[in-house]
Structures are given as C-alpha cells and as structure tokens.
Amino acid sequence: MQKLLAVVFIFTILVIYKPASAEIKLNGFGSVAVGTVIEGDEFLADFPKTGIYNDDLSLDPDTTLGLQLSSYFTDKFSLIAQVAVHGASGYDPEIDWLYLNYYLTPGLSVQAGRKRLPLYYYSDYFDVGYAYYWIRPPPDVYTWQITNYNGASLLYETALGQWDTSLNIYYGSEESEDNDLLSLLRNGASVDETWKNMIGIVGMMSNNWLELRLTHMQGLIDRTVSGVSVLNDVEQQFLGMSINLTFDNLLILSEFNNYRQPDNGVEYNAYLLSLGYQIGELTPHITRSGFRQDISALSNDDEEHYTTSVGLRWDVVDNIAVKVQYDKVIDEGVIVPVKGDSRSISFAVDFVF
Amino acid sequence: MNIRILEQIIRPCKHPVFLLAAAVLMIAIIKPCYAEDKVFLIAAKGSGIESISNRDIRRVFLGLKSADSDLVNKPVINLHNRELYEKFLKNVMHMTEGAYKRKVVKRIFRNGTEEIKQVETLNELNTHLTSNIGDISFVDNAAVEKMHNIEVVKVLW
C-alpha cells in the first residue's frame, strides 16, 4: 500500500510539473555470481533476500541486475528510480528507489519517496557489487529484514576545512508481508513486519585517507507471525559506526553496529574488520565479521555467527570486475541457529554501465 | 647524456665565461622540459572562475558541489592523455584509478548523481567546455596551446 502511495505521489508531481524537457540518464549494474558449499550444508550469503548456497553449484543467491534512471528536470529538480531483479527473489522486479530530489541550496537537498534504509555503510549500494571488493558485504553485519523505507529525507553536504561532510536526516516507514528472512528464521512461518515512525540520522566525514560514518535510527515495530500479533509498537534502536582508512594501496575497512529493542531485552552487536591491498588491477582481501545476540531475562534468542572471508578482486577492464571468494562460517547459535557451520567458494562478475 | 656532452665541452676550457655559457645552455635545455610537464585546470573563457583550491577540485571530481565558487559547474575527465589522467588521480585525487572509479560509482548509486563526463579527444573537450560554461577539466601545456576560447584557471603542478 505504501509503495503504491509513493508511486501515486511521484506521478502526481510529474503530471503537475510536466517535465517535457527532462534530461534522462540511465545507469546499470549487475552481478552474475556462482558458488557452492564445499563443507557443511548451507551458507546464507544474503540475509534480506535469503540467498542461500548449498552443495550444488548455484547461480541465484548473489546474482543481481539493476537499472537506475535519473531524470533531471532542472539543475535543482530530479527523479531517481532504481529497479532490480535478484536471483534470490526469483528474478521478480523490485523498486528499490523511487524518489524526487530537490536542491534547496547547492549543499542542501530534500528527497521524498522510496529509498534505501541507510542503516549500514553499504546499505545504499548493497546490490552494486562493483562498488566494493567482496562478492557481497559481510552477511553477519547485513542481517536486516527491512531494507527500504517510504518517507522523506534531508541531505546536507559541505566542506569543513580538509573534510568533506554530509548529514542525512530521514523519516519514514516500511511494510513487509511474508518477510523472507524472518520466515526463514521461524522455520517457514509467515511473518509480516512493519517498521514505522522511523527517524534516523547519518553523519559522514572524509578526507584523503580517512572516512568516518555514524548512524542512529529509532522507530517502532509491529510483527505478526502466522496471523498472530507478537510485537505491537515495540521500540527499536540502531546505532552504527564505520571507520575506513586508505593508505596508498592499503585499505582498512570496519563497521560496528548495535541493535536494541529495550522493552523486550533484545540486543545484538555486529562487526566487520577487513584489509585489502591493491596491486595494479588486483585487490586481495581478508575479512572477519561477527554477529552476537545477547541472551537476557526477556529474550532467549542466541543467534551468533562469525565469518572469515578471503578473496580477490580483479579489475579486468574499466567497468568490469571479476571476483573469487572463500567464506568460512562458524554458527554458534543453539536456540537460533542460522545455517550451521560451512565453508563455501563463489565467483562473480560485477559490472556497471 | 646532455650533461656529459657539456662536461666534455667545458673540461678543456676552464674559463668562467664557458661555465656561465654552459649553465645558460643547461637551463635552456631543462626549462622546456618543466614547461611540458605543467598541468593546468582549464575552463571556457569568461567562466569567471578565479580561485579554486586543490581540495575543492578533488570534491568536484568526486561529484560534489564546489565549496569555493558558485561558478564551478561540472568536471570533465580528459582521457586524451592516459598518463596525464593517472597523474591527475595521483596528484590531485590522491587515489588509484580503481579506487576513484569505485568512489564515483558509489556516489552515482547512492545519490543518483550524474556520471562524470569523459572525453577522448582535445577537440571534444574544447567543444564541450566552450558550450558548457563553468565546466572544468585538466590538460597539459602542449594541449592548452592547441585549444581555443579556453582559459587557465590554475596551474595544478
């Protein structure tokens, strides 16, 4: 319903505005990936879309194709739309972005419509494999069941001395019927999830060698399992921090997140630490990531998993990268196991056009 | 090679005049080399861009708005000279070509910003800049002399 309202709102604006002379740009991205589990049963490579590798060679869990359309009506006013198909979601087209952008000043812009929920560092371009050196961002950290929101945001970008800075404030909500990830974690039960009254802030600052990102979001959750309401107006809070460093060819990436439902005693922490080194067109990398949910008096869930990844990115030509990655997962959850221990290998070709 | 020839010429004639002449000759040889290595930030004549810091040039080539001047419009990547492009990335952007491309791709798919225009020939660059006042690019000394209705905004190095 909210998606429909967003589409109706945007098309109404377009009809009023009559963008006869709009300049339209099309950008595309894609990842064609194949992988298999070489030890263990299954590997959950993509939490939100539940992309799962097993001991067969599979093309679906990480394969994605997307198109982004940017229509610039004037220097200040534009429409951004992004549609993607994912192998993990049966290649059904999904609208990830559909929003209007208006520059109030050269540094301050306002957006309204459907956007990616900017909880994590790689949230905005999670599906654009070309933009990072992994085949997919570390799954332990990217365990979100809601990836988008419908609402409005305000973005301010400016330079402060040697620093490029930005501040993004957003408000919105999202409904997910028969949520893939929550259904998987509840043995196939149908789970409907709504995140509402979300208000968040994302601050970023970067210079030549250092990039810092801080984010906070809070809102309310409604959840229904097999038609029975289990959460109603439950408060949730998310806090995240990323520190990325670039020393010539050496890349050090990190991300730390804390998620809480204070009323339910639910709390988890997730992190990633990664090192990459660029040698010409090759970037070997190693990453350690983890997710740990604390058991409390109110919650017995003990989801806990760690992944060590080793991989290589090869920038073959200007806009194409070939990747290979080995992932070793240790699943320590007893009450809430995810997919057990596994070792897997995957190959991918990422491109942008 | 040139220095050795000069040494051979100077060795039999220790007179200061010959040394001075040799020094002048060396400067004459070396000076054009420096001139050829100069790289400029350019825009169309009449753009009105008076000063822009290297820090701000970096911002603009990452797809951000200029903080130094409202007159700076969009960047144009000059691929006419591949070596020059790589030096520009190293000296101004402080990143490798791969890192630069990933940064630009991130911004396109994060903010829906326009792709940064790339041109392959000087003629194309000249035409683009003169018809898009405020757009900026980088060229070397030899190239700037071949272009028309272009002004140097800044010596980059």
Side-chain angles (χ1 to χ4, degrees), chain A residues 25 27 68 72 97 106 121 124-125 155 157 162 164 208 278 318, chain B residues 55 58-59 65 94 96 101 106-108 110-115:
Chain A
K25 295 274 168 67
N27 291 295
Q68 181 177 287
Y72 303 94
W97 301 90
Y121 181 84
D124 289 334
Y125 46 93
L155 176 66
E157 294 177 297
Q162 295 297 303
D164 294 327
N208 292 346
Q278 198 171 349
D318 249 10
Chain B
R55 178 73 201 155
R58 185 177 182 274
R59 282 174 55 80
K65 301 266 182 193
H94 307 293
T96 61
K101 277 179 195 154
K106 280 181 199 176
R107 191 156 171 81
I108 289 169
R110 172 181 271 165
N111 297 64
T113 50
E114 282 187 70
E115 205 171 355

PDB file of all heavy atoms in Angstrom, chain A residues 25 27 68 72 97 106 121 124-125 155 157 162 164 208 278 318, chain B residues 55 58-59 65 94 96 101 106-108 110-115:
ATOM      1  N   LYS A  25      19.081  10.113 -17.709  1.00  0.00           N
ATOM      2  CA  LYS A  25      20.314   9.320 -17.712  1.00  0.00           C
ATOM      3  C   LYS A  25      19.989   7.930 -17.178  1.00  0.00           C
ATOM      4  O   LYS A  25      19.210   7.782 -16.230  1.00  0.00           O
ATOM      5  CB  LYS A  25      21.355   9.984 -16.804  1.00  0.00           C
ATOM      6  CG  LYS A  25      21.825  11.356 -17.277  1.00  0.00           C
ATOM      7  CD  LYS A  25      22.966  11.224 -18.259  1.00  0.00           C
ATOM      8  CE  LYS A  25      23.288  12.525 -18.970  1.00  0.00           C
ATOM      9  NZ  LYS A  25      23.829  13.543 -18.110  1.00  0.00           N
ATOM     10  N   ASN A  27      21.755   4.422 -15.751  1.00  0.00           N
ATOM     11  CA  ASN A  27      22.944   3.708 -15.287  1.00  0.00           C
ATOM     12  C   ASN A  27      22.513   2.306 -14.870  1.00  0.00           C
ATOM     13  O   ASN A  27      21.443   2.132 -14.293  1.00  0.00           O
ATOM     14  CB  ASN A  27      23.580   4.418 -14.085  1.00  0.00           C
ATOM     15  CG  ASN A  27      24.198   5.741 -14.462  1.00  0.00           C
ATOM     16  OD1 ASN A  27      25.148   5.797 -15.221  1.00  0.00           O
ATOM     17  ND2 ASN A  27      23.624   6.815 -13.951  1.00  0.00           N
ATOM     18  N   GLN A  68      19.203   2.080 -12.973  1.00  0.00           N
ATOM     19  CA  GLN A  68      18.859   3.317 -12.273  1.00  0.00           C
ATOM     20  C   GLN A  68      18.574   4.402 -13.298  1.00  0.00           C
ATOM     21  O   GLN A  68      19.412   4.670 -14.165  1.00  0.00           O
ATOM     22  CB  GLN A  68      19.999   3.762 -11.359  1.00  0.00           C
ATOM     23  CG  GLN A  68      19.650   5.034 -10.592  1.00  0.00           C
ATOM     24  CD  GLN A  68      20.750   5.442  -9.627  1.00  0.00           C
ATOM     25  OE1 GLN A  68      20.944   4.812  -8.599  1.00  0.00           O
ATOM     26  NE2 GLN A  68      21.473   6.483  -9.960  1.00  0.00           N
ATOM     27  N   TYR A  72      16.632  14.523 -14.882  1.00  0.00           N
ATOM     28  CA  TYR A  72      16.927  15.865 -14.369  1.00  0.00           C
ATOM     29  C   TYR A  72      16.022  16.865 -15.086  1.00  0.00           C
ATOM     30  O   TYR A  72      16.249  17.197 -16.241  1.00  0.00           O
ATOM     31  CB  TYR A  72      18.397  16.206 -14.590  1.00  0.00           C
ATOM     32  CG  TYR A  72      19.330  15.188 -13.959  1.00  0.00           C
ATOM     33  CD1 TYR A  72      19.835  14.126 -14.698  1.00  0.00           C
ATOM     34  CD2 TYR A  72      19.687  15.289 -12.621  1.00  0.00           C
ATOM     35  CE1 TYR A  72      20.663  13.179 -14.117  1.00  0.00           C
ATOM     36  CE2 TYR A  72      20.509  14.353 -12.027  1.00  0.00           C
ATOM     37  CZ  TYR A  72      20.998  13.302 -12.782  1.00  0.00           C
ATOM     38  OH  TYR A  72      21.813  12.361 -12.202  1.00  0.00           O
ATOM     39  N   TRP A  97      14.467   2.216  -5.321  1.00  0.00           N
ATOM     40  CA  TRP A  97      14.474   3.675  -5.205  1.00  0.00           C
ATOM     41  C   TRP A  97      13.344   4.226  -6.071  1.00  0.00           C
ATOM     42  O   TRP A  97      13.158   3.791  -7.198  1.00  0.00           O
ATOM     43  CB  TRP A  97      15.761   4.286  -5.776  1.00  0.00           C
ATOM     44  CG  TRP A  97      17.064   3.882  -5.192  1.00  0.00           C
ATOM     45  CD1 TRP A  97      17.840   2.842  -5.599  1.00  0.00           C
ATOM     46  CD2 TRP A  97      17.795   4.526  -4.158  1.00  0.00           C
ATOM     47  NE1 TRP A  97      19.006   2.813  -4.868  1.00  0.00           N
ATOM     48  CE2 TRP A  97      19.008   3.838  -3.984  1.00  0.00           C
ATOM     49  CE3 TRP A  97      17.534   5.648  -3.357  1.00  0.00           C
ATOM     50  CZ2 TRP A  97      19.960   4.203  -3.046  1.00  0.00           C
ATOM     51  CZ3 TRP A  97      18.497   6.017  -2.421  1.00  0.00           C
ATOM     52  CH2 TRP A  97      19.683   5.300  -2.269  1.00  0.00           C
ATOM     53  N   PRO A 106      22.877  24.837  -3.065  1.00  0.00           N
ATOM     54  CA  PRO A 106      23.819  23.883  -3.666  1.00  0.00           C
ATOM     55  C   PRO A 106      24.217  22.741  -2.719  1.00  0.00           C
ATOM     56  O   PRO A 106      24.553  21.656  -3.176  1.00  0.00           O
ATOM     57  CB  PRO A 106      25.026  24.758  -4.003  1.00  0.00           C
ATOM     58  CG  PRO A 106      24.445  26.100  -4.247  1.00  0.00           C
ATOM     59  CD  PRO A 106      23.311  26.235  -3.271  1.00  0.00           C
ATOM     60  N   TYR A 121      26.840   0.972   6.326  1.00  0.00           N
ATOM     61  CA  TYR A 121      27.714   1.727   5.433  1.00  0.00           C
ATOM     62  C   TYR A 121      27.396   1.418   3.966  1.00  0.00           C
ATOM     63  O   TYR A 121      27.374   2.307   3.125  1.00  0.00           O
ATOM     64  CB  TYR A 121      29.189   1.401   5.722  1.00  0.00           C
ATOM     65  CG  TYR A 121      30.139   2.180   4.846  1.00  0.00           C
ATOM     66  CD1 TYR A 121      30.521   3.480   5.188  1.00  0.00           C
ATOM     67  CD2 TYR A 121      30.617   1.651   3.655  1.00  0.00           C
ATOM     68  CE1 TYR A 121      31.355   4.215   4.376  1.00  0.00           C
ATOM     69  CE2 TYR A 121      31.448   2.378   2.832  1.00  0.00           C
ATOM     70  CZ  TYR A 121      31.820   3.649   3.198  1.00  0.00           C
ATOM     71  OH  TYR A 121      32.644   4.377   2.376  1.00  0.00           O
ATOM     72  N   ASP A 124      23.189   1.748   0.870  1.00  0.00           N
ATOM     73  CA  ASP A 124      22.697   2.421  -0.330  1.00  0.00           C
ATOM     74  C   ASP A 124      23.042   1.673  -1.605  1.00  0.00           C
ATOM     75  O   ASP A 124      22.304   1.716  -2.576  1.00  0.00           O
ATOM     76  CB  ASP A 124      23.276   3.843  -0.411  1.00  0.00           C
ATOM     77  CG  ASP A 124      22.680   4.753   0.630  1.00  0.00           C
ATOM     78  OD1 ASP A 124      21.547   4.489   1.056  1.00  0.00           O
ATOM     79  OD2 ASP A 124      23.351   5.725   1.040  1.00  0.00           O
ATOM     80  N   TYR A 125      24.202   1.036  -1.641  1.00  0.00           N
ATOM     81  CA  TYR A 125      24.602   0.338  -2.875  1.00  0.00           C
ATOM     82  C   TYR A 125      24.964  -1.115  -2.565  1.00  0.00           C
ATOM     83  O   TYR A 125      25.885  -1.674  -3.144  1.00  0.00           O
ATOM     84  CB  TYR A 125      25.753   1.079  -3.570  1.00  0.00           C
ATOM     85  CG  TYR A 125      26.875   1.502  -2.680  1.00  0.00           C
ATOM     86  CD1 TYR A 125      27.984   0.690  -2.506  1.00  0.00           C
ATOM     87  CD2 TYR A 125      26.837   2.703  -1.994  1.00  0.00           C
ATOM     88  CE1 TYR A 125      29.019   1.064  -1.689  1.00  0.00           C
ATOM     89  CE2 TYR A 125      27.860   3.081  -1.164  1.00  0.00           C
ATOM     90  CZ  TYR A 125      28.949   2.268  -1.015  1.00  0.00           C
ATOM     91  OH  TYR A 125      29.970   2.634  -0.181  1.00  0.00           O
ATOM     92  N   LEU A 155      19.252  16.101   3.046  1.00  0.00           N
ATOM     93  CA  LEU A 155      20.692  15.825   2.943  1.00  0.00           C
ATOM     94  C   LEU A 155      21.451  17.133   2.839  1.00  0.00           C
ATOM     95  O   LEU A 155      21.165  17.968   1.966  1.00  0.00           O
ATOM     96  CB  LEU A 155      20.965  14.954   1.702  1.00  0.00           C
ATOM     97  CG  LEU A 155      22.421  14.645   1.385  1.00  0.00           C
ATOM     98  CD1 LEU A 155      23.057  13.783   2.464  1.00  0.00           C
ATOM     99  CD2 LEU A 155      22.547  13.946   0.029  1.00  0.00           C
ATOM    100  N   GLU A 157      25.340  18.607   2.445  1.00  0.00           N
ATOM    101  CA  GLU A 157      26.733  18.264   2.141  1.00  0.00           C
ATOM    102  C   GLU A 157      27.545  19.546   2.099  1.00  0.00           C
ATOM    103  O   GLU A 157      27.156  20.516   1.437  1.00  0.00           O
ATOM    104  CB  GLU A 157      26.843  17.573   0.780  1.00  0.00           C
ATOM    105  CG  GLU A 157      26.162  16.220   0.725  1.00  0.00           C
ATOM    106  CD  GLU A 157      26.224  15.606  -0.663  1.00  0.00           C
ATOM    107  OE1 GLU A 157      25.654  16.185  -1.591  1.00  0.00           O
ATOM    108  OE2 GLU A 157      26.849  14.556  -0.808  1.00  0.00           O
ATOM    109  N   GLN A 162      39.600  20.560   5.646  1.00  0.00           N
ATOM    110  CA  GLN A 162      40.070  19.459   4.793  1.00  0.00           C
ATOM    111  C   GLN A 162      39.058  18.308   4.709  1.00  0.00           C
ATOM    112  O   GLN A 162      39.344  17.283   4.102  1.00  0.00           O
ATOM    113  CB  GLN A 162      41.403  18.924   5.344  1.00  0.00           C
ATOM    114  CG  GLN A 162      42.546  19.926   5.275  1.00  0.00           C
ATOM    115  CD  GLN A 162      42.880  20.305   3.839  1.00  0.00           C
ATOM    116  OE1 GLN A 162      43.187  19.464   3.007  1.00  0.00           O
ATOM    117  NE2 GLN A 162      42.791  21.600   3.531  1.00  0.00           N
ATOM    118  N   ASP A 164      35.306  16.562   3.807  1.00  0.00           N
ATOM    119  CA  ASP A 164      34.010  16.567   3.136  1.00  0.00           C
ATOM    120  C   ASP A 164      33.017  15.976   4.122  1.00  0.00           C
ATOM    121  O   ASP A 164      33.272  14.901   4.678  1.00  0.00           O
ATOM    122  CB  ASP A 164      34.034  15.674   1.886  1.00  0.00           C
ATOM    123  CG  ASP A 164      34.966  16.219   0.837  1.00  0.00           C
ATOM    124  OD1 ASP A 164      35.079  17.443   0.741  1.00  0.00           O
ATOM    125  OD2 ASP A 164      35.604  15.405   0.133  1.00  0.00           O
ATOM    126  N   ASN A 208      41.409  12.733   2.628  1.00  0.00           N
ATOM    127  CA  ASN A 208      42.112  11.908   1.635  1.00  0.00           C
ATOM    128  C   ASN A 208      42.307  10.466   2.079  1.00  0.00           C
ATOM    129  O   ASN A 208      42.417   9.571   1.250  1.00  0.00           O
ATOM    130  CB  ASN A 208      43.494  12.499   1.344  1.00  0.00           C
ATOM    131  CG  ASN A 208      43.384  13.822   0.627  1.00  0.00           C
ATOM    132  OD1 ASN A 208      42.320  14.163   0.130  1.00  0.00           O
ATOM    133  ND2 ASN A 208      44.468  14.560   0.589  1.00  0.00           N
ATOM    134  N   GLN A 278      45.684  -3.126  -2.872  1.00  0.00           N
ATOM    135  CA  GLN A 278      45.577  -3.052  -4.321  1.00  0.00           C
ATOM    136  C   GLN A 278      46.948  -3.167  -4.967  1.00  0.00           C
ATOM    137  O   GLN A 278      47.854  -2.381  -4.673  1.00  0.00           O
ATOM    138  CB  GLN A 278      44.921  -1.732  -4.707  1.00  0.00           C
ATOM    139  CG  GLN A 278      44.388  -1.758  -6.114  1.00  0.00           C
ATOM    140  CD  GLN A 278      43.555  -0.545  -6.451  1.00  0.00           C
ATOM    141  OE1 GLN A 278      43.195   0.250  -5.586  1.00  0.00           O
ATOM    142  NE2 GLN A 278      43.242  -0.393  -7.727  1.00  0.00           N
ATOM    143  N   ASP A 318      37.680  -1.351 -17.601  1.00  0.00           N
ATOM    144  CA  ASP A 318      37.152  -0.167 -16.929  1.00  0.00           C
ATOM    145  C   ASP A 318      35.966  -0.416 -16.010  1.00  0.00           C
ATOM    146  O   ASP A 318      35.929   0.071 -14.892  1.00  0.00           O
ATOM    147  CB  ASP A 318      36.703   0.825 -18.003  1.00  0.00           C
ATOM    148  CG  ASP A 318      37.606   2.036 -18.018  1.00  0.00           C
ATOM    149  OD1 ASP A 318      38.644   1.980 -17.349  1.00  0.00           O
ATOM    150  OD2 ASP A 318      37.248   3.019 -18.691  1.00  0.00           O
TER     151      ASP A 318
ATOM    152  N   ARG B  55      41.811  21.038  -2.929  1.00  0.00           N
ATOM    153  CA  ARG B  55      40.854  20.296  -2.123  1.00  0.00           C
ATOM    154  C   ARG B  55      39.461  20.347  -2.775  1.00  0.00           C
ATOM    155  O   ARG B  55      38.744  19.363  -2.844  1.00  0.00           O
ATOM    156  CB  ARG B  55      40.822  20.930  -0.719  1.00  0.00           C
ATOM    157  CG  ARG B  55      39.847  20.328   0.229  1.00  0.00           C
ATOM    158  CD  ARG B  55      40.297  18.981   0.709  1.00  0.00           C
ATOM    159  NE  ARG B  55      39.162  18.233   1.206  1.00  0.00           N
ATOM    160  CZ  ARG B  55      39.092  16.922   1.259  1.00  0.00           C
ATOM    161  NH1 ARG B  55      40.104  16.205   0.839  1.00  0.00           N
ATOM    162  NH2 ARG B  55      38.040  16.315   1.735  1.00  0.00           N
ATOM    163  N   ARG B  58      39.232  18.350  -5.978  1.00  0.00           N
ATOM    164  CA  ARG B  58      39.016  16.937  -5.637  1.00  0.00           C
ATOM    165  C   ARG B  58      37.533  16.675  -5.374  1.00  0.00           C
ATOM    166  O   ARG B  58      36.966  15.693  -5.842  1.00  0.00           O
ATOM    167  CB  ARG B  58      39.864  16.579  -4.406  1.00  0.00           C
ATOM    168  CG  ARG B  58      39.808  15.111  -4.023  1.00  0.00           C
ATOM    169  CD  ARG B  58      40.721  14.822  -2.841  1.00  0.00           C
ATOM    170  NE  ARG B  58      40.709  13.415  -2.506  1.00  0.00           N
ATOM    171  CZ  ARG B  58      39.811  12.841  -1.708  1.00  0.00           C
ATOM    172  NH1 ARG B  58      38.851  13.574  -1.157  1.00  0.00           N
ATOM    173  NH2 ARG B  58      39.864  11.553  -1.461  1.00  0.00           N
ATOM    174  N   ARG B  59      36.903  17.574  -4.615  1.00  0.00           N
ATOM    175  CA  ARG B  59      35.472  17.440  -4.320  1.00  0.00           C
ATOM    176  C   ARG B  59      34.644  17.406  -5.600  1.00  0.00           C
ATOM    177  O   ARG B  59      33.769  16.564  -5.762  1.00  0.00           O
ATOM    178  CB  ARG B  59      34.992  18.645  -3.481  1.00  0.00           C
ATOM    179  CG  ARG B  59      35.330  18.599  -2.023  1.00  0.00           C
ATOM    180  CD  ARG B  59      34.930  19.913  -1.344  1.00  0.00           C
ATOM    181  NE  ARG B  59      33.523  20.235  -1.551  1.00  0.00           N
ATOM    182  CZ  ARG B  59      32.521  19.705  -0.868  1.00  0.00           C
ATOM    183  NH1 ARG B  59      32.780  18.854   0.089  1.00  0.00           N
ATOM    184  NH2 ARG B  59      31.276  20.048  -1.108  1.00  0.00           N
ATOM    185  N   LYS B  65      29.420  19.311  -5.039  1.00  0.00           N
ATOM    186  CA  LYS B  65      29.357  20.701  -5.459  1.00  0.00           C
ATOM    187  C   LYS B  65      30.606  21.439  -4.965  1.00  0.00           C
ATOM    188  O   LYS B  65      31.116  21.138  -3.884  1.00  0.00           O
ATOM    189  CB  LYS B  65      28.118  21.380  -4.855  1.00  0.00           C
ATOM    190  CG  LYS B  65      26.817  20.714  -5.241  1.00  0.00           C
ATOM    191  CD  LYS B  65      26.200  21.348  -6.446  1.00  0.00           C
ATOM    192  CE  LYS B  65      24.863  20.671  -6.760  1.00  0.00           C
ATOM    193  NZ  LYS B  65      24.347  21.027  -8.066  1.00  0.00           N
ATOM    194  N   HIS B  94      44.479  11.899  -5.110  1.00  0.00           N
ATOM    195  CA  HIS B  94      45.164  11.081  -4.096  1.00  0.00           C
ATOM    196  C   HIS B  94      44.567   9.678  -4.015  1.00  0.00           C
ATOM    197  O   HIS B  94      44.309   9.157  -2.926  1.00  0.00           O
ATOM    198  CB  HIS B  94      45.125  11.751  -2.717  1.00  0.00           C
ATOM    199  CG  HIS B  94      45.646  13.155  -2.748  1.00  0.00           C
ATOM    200  ND1 HIS B  94      46.961  13.446  -2.998  1.00  0.00           N
ATOM    201  CD2 HIS B  94      45.016  14.334  -2.585  1.00  0.00           C
ATOM    202  CE1 HIS B  94      47.121  14.761  -2.976  1.00  0.00           C
ATOM    203  NE2 HIS B  94      45.955  15.327  -2.734  1.00  0.00           N
ATOM    204  N   THR B  96      44.085   5.723  -6.466  1.00  0.00           N
ATOM    205  CA  THR B  96      44.343   4.948  -7.676  1.00  0.00           C
ATOM    206  C   THR B  96      43.127   5.038  -8.597  1.00  0.00           C
ATOM    207  O   THR B  96      42.036   5.449  -8.165  1.00  0.00           O
ATOM    208  CB  THR B  96      44.583   3.468  -7.337  1.00  0.00           C
ATOM    209  OG1 THR B  96      43.411   2.957  -6.715  1.00  0.00           O
ATOM    210  CG2 THR B  96      45.772   3.293  -6.399  1.00  0.00           C
ATOM    211  N   LYS B 101      37.250   5.113  -9.471  1.00  0.00           N
ATOM    212  CA  LYS B 101      36.044   4.627 -10.152  1.00  0.00           C
ATOM    213  C   LYS B 101      35.015   4.101  -9.151  1.00  0.00           C
ATOM    214  O   LYS B 101      33.812   4.341  -9.287  1.00  0.00           O
ATOM    215  CB  LYS B 101      36.418   3.519 -11.134  1.00  0.00           C
ATOM    216  CG  LYS B 101      36.906   4.068 -12.445  1.00  0.00           C
ATOM    217  CD  LYS B 101      37.275   2.956 -13.373  1.00  0.00           C
ATOM    218  CE  LYS B 101      38.084   3.510 -14.518  1.00  0.00           C
ATOM    219  NZ  LYS B 101      38.962   2.501 -15.083  1.00  0.00           N
ATOM    220  N   LYS B 106      29.905   4.582  -6.369  1.00  0.00           N
ATOM    221  CA  LYS B 106      29.170   4.647  -5.096  1.00  0.00           C
ATOM    222  C   LYS B 106      28.259   5.864  -5.074  1.00  0.00           C
ATOM    223  O   LYS B 106      27.109   5.796  -4.664  1.00  0.00           O
ATOM    224  CB  LYS B 106      30.153   4.798  -3.926  1.00  0.00           C
ATOM    225  CG  LYS B 106      30.808   3.538  -3.472  1.00  0.00           C
ATOM    226  CD  LYS B 106      31.722   3.879  -2.312  1.00  0.00           C
ATOM    227  CE  LYS B 106      32.759   2.812  -2.087  1.00  0.00           C
ATOM    228  NZ  LYS B 106      33.707   3.193  -1.022  1.00  0.00           N
ATOM    229  N   ARG B 107      28.803   6.995  -5.500  1.00  0.00           N
ATOM    230  CA  ARG B 107      28.039   8.236  -5.433  1.00  0.00           C
ATOM    231  C   ARG B 107      26.856   8.221  -6.407  1.00  0.00           C
ATOM    232  O   ARG B 107      25.769   8.695  -6.088  1.00  0.00           O
ATOM    233  CB  ARG B 107      28.965   9.417  -5.697  1.00  0.00           C
ATOM    234  CG  ARG B 107      28.317  10.720  -5.394  1.00  0.00           C
ATOM    235  CD  ARG B 107      29.221  11.842  -5.080  1.00  0.00           C
ATOM    236  NE  ARG B 107      28.428  13.061  -5.031  1.00  0.00           N
ATOM    237  CZ  ARG B 107      27.717  13.443  -3.998  1.00  0.00           C
ATOM    238  NH1 ARG B 107      27.741  12.741  -2.902  1.00  0.00           N
ATOM    239  NH2 ARG B 107      26.987  14.542  -4.040  1.00  0.00           N
ATOM    240  N   ILE B 108      27.098   7.651  -7.584  1.00  0.00           N
ATOM    241  CA  ILE B 108      26.011   7.564  -8.577  1.00  0.00           C
ATOM    242  C   ILE B 108      24.861   6.732  -8.012  1.00  0.00           C
ATOM    243  O   ILE B 108      23.702   7.131  -8.059  1.00  0.00           O
ATOM    244  CB  ILE B 108      26.530   6.947  -9.902  1.00  0.00           C
ATOM    245  CG1 ILE B 108      27.453   7.935 -10.611  1.00  0.00           C
ATOM    246  CG2 ILE B 108      25.371   6.557 -10.818  1.00  0.00           C
ATOM    247  CD1 ILE B 108      28.218   7.337 -11.774  1.00  0.00           C
ATOM    248  N   ARG B 110      24.386   5.872  -4.865  1.00  0.00           N
ATOM    249  CA  ARG B 110      23.931   6.280  -3.531  1.00  0.00           C
ATOM    250  C   ARG B 110      23.045   7.511  -3.625  1.00  0.00           C
ATOM    251  O   ARG B 110      22.039   7.612  -2.933  1.00  0.00           O
ATOM    252  CB  ARG B 110      25.146   6.567  -2.640  1.00  0.00           C
ATOM    253  CG  ARG B 110      24.797   7.176  -1.297  1.00  0.00           C
ATOM    254  CD  ARG B 110      26.036   7.466  -0.477  1.00  0.00           C
ATOM    255  NE  ARG B 110      26.413   6.320   0.337  1.00  0.00           N
ATOM    256  CZ  ARG B 110      27.590   6.183   0.920  1.00  0.00           C
ATOM    257  NH1 ARG B 110      28.508   7.088   0.763  1.00  0.00           N
ATOM    258  NH2 ARG B 110      27.846   5.140   1.666  1.00  0.00           N
ATOM    259  N   ASN B 111      23.432   8.467  -4.472  1.00  0.00           N
ATOM    260  CA  ASN B 111      22.724   9.746  -4.503  1.00  0.00           C
ATOM    261  C   ASN B 111      22.022  10.026  -5.821  1.00  0.00           C
ATOM    262  O   ASN B 111      21.397  11.070  -5.972  1.00  0.00           O
ATOM    263  CB  ASN B 111      23.703  10.905  -4.248  1.00  0.00           C
ATOM    264  CG  ASN B 111      24.334  10.827  -2.881  1.00  0.00           C
ATOM    265  OD1 ASN B 111      25.049   9.898  -2.601  1.00  0.00           O
ATOM    266  ND2 ASN B 111      24.072  11.797  -2.038  1.00  0.00           N
ATOM    267  N   GLY B 112      22.175   9.123  -6.781  1.00  0.00           N
ATOM    268  CA  GLY B 112      21.571   9.375  -8.089  1.00  0.00           C
ATOM    269  C   GLY B 112      22.230  10.529  -8.815  1.00  0.00           C
ATOM    270  O   GLY B 112      21.607  11.174  -9.654  1.00  0.00           O
ATOM    271  N   THR B 113      23.481  10.808  -8.492  1.00  0.00           N
ATOM    272  CA  THR B 113      24.173  11.921  -9.155  1.00  0.00           C
ATOM    273  C   THR B 113      24.570  11.514 -10.570  1.00  0.00           C
ATOM    274  O   THR B 113      24.655  10.336 -10.891  1.00  0.00           O
ATOM    275  CB  THR B 113      25.436  12.341  -8.386  1.00  0.00           C
ATOM    276  OG1 THR B 113      26.195  11.173  -8.126  1.00  0.00           O
ATOM    277  CG2 THR B 113      25.097  13.020  -7.095  1.00  0.00           C
ATOM    278  N   GLU B 114      24.822  12.527 -11.378  1.00  0.00           N
ATOM    279  CA  GLU B 114      25.178  12.264 -12.773  1.00  0.00           C
ATOM    280  C   GLU B 114      26.559  11.632 -12.875  1.00  0.00           C
ATOM    281  O   GLU B 114      27.448  11.936 -12.078  1.00  0.00           O
ATOM    282  CB  GLU B 114      25.195  13.583 -13.551  1.00  0.00           C
ATOM    283  CG  GLU B 114      23.827  14.088 -13.929  1.00  0.00           C
ATOM    284  CD  GLU B 114      23.931  15.305 -14.835  1.00  0.00           C
ATOM    285  OE1 GLU B 114      24.335  15.159 -15.987  1.00  0.00           O
ATOM    286  OE2 GLU B 114      23.609  16.399 -14.351  1.00  0.00           O
ATOM    287  N   GLU B 115      26.706  10.799 -13.895  1.00  0.00           N
ATOM    288  CA  GLU B 115      28.016  10.224 -14.173  1.00  0.00           C
ATOM    289  C   GLU B 115      28.959  11.349 -14.609  1.00  0.00           C
ATOM    290  O   GLU B 115      28.519  12.282 -15.272  1.00  0.00           O
ATOM    291  CB  GLU B 115      27.859   9.215 -15.314  1.00  0.00           C
ATOM    292  CG  GLU B 115      28.905   8.155 -15.313  1.00  0.00           C
ATOM    293  CD  GLU B 115      28.584   7.055 -16.310  1.00  0.00           C
ATOM    294  OE1 GLU B 115      27.496   7.091 -16.916  1.00  0.00           O
ATOM    295  OE2 GLU B 115      29.419   6.182 -16.480  1.00  0.00           O
TER     296      GLU B 115
END
